[in-house]
Amino acid sequence: MLAFLIPVLSLTMGLVRAHATNSPTCAPLVPAEMDNATVHRLLGHWVYIMGASQYPPHVAEMKELKYATYTIFPGRHEDEFNVTEIMRLNETCVVRNTSKIHVFRHNSTLVHEEGQEVSMAELMHSDKDLFILKHFKDNHVGLSLSARTPKVTKEQLEEFEAQLRCHGFKLEEAFITSPKDACPAAGEEVGEGSTATAEPQQG
């Protein structure tokens, strides 16, 4: 699964909804306006920070995901991107570069396609250095946060955590990656479909 869509980003551990007497407060997520500037901003390097999902297969993948980065490149067609992902799944570094992202501007939707697996997410309005997605899969919802670097501010993290609570998640249901688990520069044995080497350790 693409880290950013943890077809994650991205909990059958139980969607626990907040009690009405203890409802968190957060500004509603607003879909991004998919103009040329926004679409162009998707290009480049991103680090997957954290996410949560109601969709059981995504939960299983999140449990294994220790760290992930992905780079988005222009594709052959307008509003089509190629993606290279580098991730540590438990103790193994995996590189995937066979997936594509299709942009649907009219509803701020990104569709990730890898082989027969297709997943969908809505791009949310955010800081230019953040990548917030609201995932949809078989009537299940998820949220994921990526950033240009492994570090986000305390305020950015608190705002995203508030969104998780507002969408019915407990913070302990969120999966958080750590830069200490980044793949080493020399690379490791990689998983199926890998054709590139792991990127340098960050930090």
Side-chain angles (χ1 to χ4, degrees):
M1 168 175 89
L2 177 68
F4 103 95
L5 280 179
I6 286 220
V8 182
L9 232 171
S10 296
L11 302 168
T12 201
M13 300 156 67
L15 176 63
V16 180
R17 301 195 175 278
H19 295 292
T21 56
N22 191 29
S23 297
T25 57
C26 58
L29 287 174
V30 178
E33 180 181 350
M34 298 296 270
D35 55 18
N36 288 338
T38 300
V39 172
H40 181 75
R41 182 174 67 83
L42 302 178
L43 297 172
H45 182 79
W46 296 94
V47 179
Y48 183 82
I49 305 297
M50 66 185 299
S53 176
Q54 302 171 10
Y55 186 57
H58 291 180
V59 177
E61 293 175 348
M62 287 178 170
K63 288 180 179 179
E64 296 182 351
L65 185 69
K66 306 306 177 186
Y67 191 75
T69 64
Y70 53 96
T71 304
I72 301 176
F73 306 93
R76 292 183 178 181
H77 307 288
E78 184 180 10
D79 293 344
E80 176 188 279
F81 299 135
N82 298 321
V83 186
T84 295
E85 307 165 70
I86 301 174
M87 64 191 79
R88 184 183 293 276
L89 301 175
N90 291 324
E91 300 303 320
T92 302
C93 282
V94 177
V95 181
R96 297 174 181 167
N97 57 9
T98 59
S99 62
K100 294 183 180 296
I101 296 173
H102 301 276
V103 177
F104 293 86
R105 300 190 184 215
H106 68 284
N107 60 2
S108 304
T109 298
L110 305 180
V111 174
H112 172 245
E113 178 182 319
E114 184 171 12
Q116 299 300 312
E117 178 70 24
V118 177
S119 54
M120 181 182 300
E122 192 174 24
L123 180 66
M124 296 293 111
H125 177 76
S126 66
D127 181 276
K128 65 181 179 63
D129 292 323
L130 299 181
F131 199 146
I132 298 176
L133 291 171
K134 185 174 183 178
H135 304 271
F136 303 94
K137 184 71 172 182
D138 296 344
N139 296 318
H140 296 88
V141 176
L143 291 176
S144 66
L145 170 66
S146 298
R148 289 296 186 184
T149 72
K151 296 182 180 180
V152 294
T153 66
K154 179 181 178 182
E155 291 75 18
Q156 290 170 337
L157 190 60
E158 288 177 347
E159 288 178 9
F160 185 74
E161 290 175 344
Q163 289 294 341
L164 289 175
R165 292 193 296 270
C166 286
H167 282 79
F169 295 103
K170 288 184 176 180
L171 292 185
E172 54 266 32
E173 292 176 313
F175 292 88
I176 305 174
T177 63
S178 173
K180 68 180 180 61
D181 291 319
C183 293
E188 296 181 354
E189 181 179 350
V190 294
E192 181 179 357
S194 301
T195 58
T197 56
E199 67 179 30
Q201 175 112 16
Q202 299 193 39

